Amino acid sequence: MPDFPTTGHLGVKLCGFTRREDSEAAIAAGADALGFNFWPRSKRHLPLEKARQWLPSLSTSKTALVAVVVNADSLLLEQIITSRLFHCIQLHGDETPDDVSFLMERGLRVIKALQVKDESSLDCIALYACTDILLDAYNPALYGGSGESFPWHLAELARLRHPDKRIILSGGLNPDNVAEAVSQVRPAAVDVASGVESEPGIKDPAKMAAFVRNARSVLVA
């Protein structure tokens, strides 16, 4: 089973896939993880029944598949878990530390996404049992994928305050700024959706390849 992120290797996650051909292009570009959004209000929503039609055909021996949910009900969570299509689940809404612990007790790898508004947004990181914390720009109406960024020094501060956590940087990243972000923050991984698209849910192969290449161009000690 592919692991994401891994210690000592900058992880690159591309998110918001709705088409098989885009997913295959991302894998070919060297992405470590692909995210699939199951929040119905997202512009990148992929119904689980459609995902079941083509996700099993992807070559994922080295690429983790991540189910992204926002305040999902128990039925959707159970469907995702029992589908056995995903290596990890990303909670991108208002889920509580108890929600995270419950899923971890079921043997799931969990990424908890937190929206960063200011320094106080970092206070709750330690409350979550999962190792992997994704930091995104504050936008409660969209829960990610807005293309907005937040001050990167806050992500750097989160990494320094919580050395037991693996910080995944998201929000406003694109091929032109990802190298600078990696150099400044030194995250465990970076995550992008809108920054590698031609339109919401439709990925640009050249942008995806450039994003992966530029992210990995930085040598992080």
Side-chain angles (χ1 to χ4, degrees):
M1 176 183 296
D3 191 24
F4 173 83
T6 57
T7 303
H9 168 81
L10 176 72
V12 179
K13 174 171 169 279
L14 308 183
C15 199
F17 289 89
T18 61
R19 306 191 305 175
R20 178 170 55 189
E21 57 266 39
D22 292 344
S23 302
E24 291 172 342
I27 292 172
D32 297 294
L34 308 186
F36 302 87
N37 197 319
F38 298 107
W39 185 40
R41 290 173 56 191
S42 171
K43 293 180 289 187
R44 302 170 182 87
H45 175 233
L46 175 66
L48 184 57
E49 57 270 23
K50 290 188 177 180
R52 286 194 180 105
Q53 295 173 9
W54 53 268
L55 257 62
S57 67
L58 295 179
S59 176
T60 58
S61 61
K62 297 182 180 179
T63 309
L65 302 186
V66 182
V68 180
V69 299
V70 174
N71 304 327
D73 59 30
S74 58
L75 176 59
L76 177 58
L77 287 175
E78 194 63 28
Q79 290 174 334
I80 288 172
I81 293 168
T82 57
S83 74
R84 299 186 180 277
L85 292 172
F86 305 97
H87 306 101
C88 181
I89 188 165
Q90 179 176 313
L91 305 181
H92 215 102
D94 307 307
E95 299 87 4
T96 67
D98 285 343
D99 294 329
V100 170
S101 296
F102 172 76
L103 292 173
M104 292 179 67
E105 288 166 3
R106 293 198 58 180
L108 296 176
R109 285 282 308 277
V110 178
I111 298 171
K112 180 64 185 91
L114 301 173
Q115 294 194 355
V116 179
K117 185 176 182 181
D118 50 36
E119 188 173 334
S120 67
S121 304
L122 309 179
D123 293 344
C124 66
I125 290 176
L127 301 177
Y128 293 93
C130 57
T131 300
D132 301 316
I133 300 292
L134 184 146
L135 300 180
D136 201 354
Y138 181 78
N139 191 325
L142 291 179
Y143 290 104
S146 66
E148 300 170 7
S149 61
F150 65 93
W152 292 337
H153 77 273
L154 294 176
E156 183 180 11
L157 184 60
R159 179 179 60 81
L160 295 172
R161 281 186 181 178
H162 304 280
D164 59 323
K165 302 296 188 184
R166 293 186 292 205
I167 300 300
I168 302 171
L169 180 63
S170 187
L173 297 178
N174 58 58
D176 295 328
N177 65 13
V178 66
E180 180 184 356
V182 171
S183 179
Q184 178 177 328
V185 177
R186 294 167 56 197
V190 289
D191 179 278
V192 64
S194 63
V196 292
E197 290 180 333
S198 55
E199 60 182 272
I202 307 300
K203 305 304 183 190
D204 183 310
K207 288 182 180 179
M208 289 194 293
F211 186 90
V212 175
R213 182 175 62 251
N214 294 348
R216 300 238 174 86
S217 69
V218 181
L219 296 178
V220 179

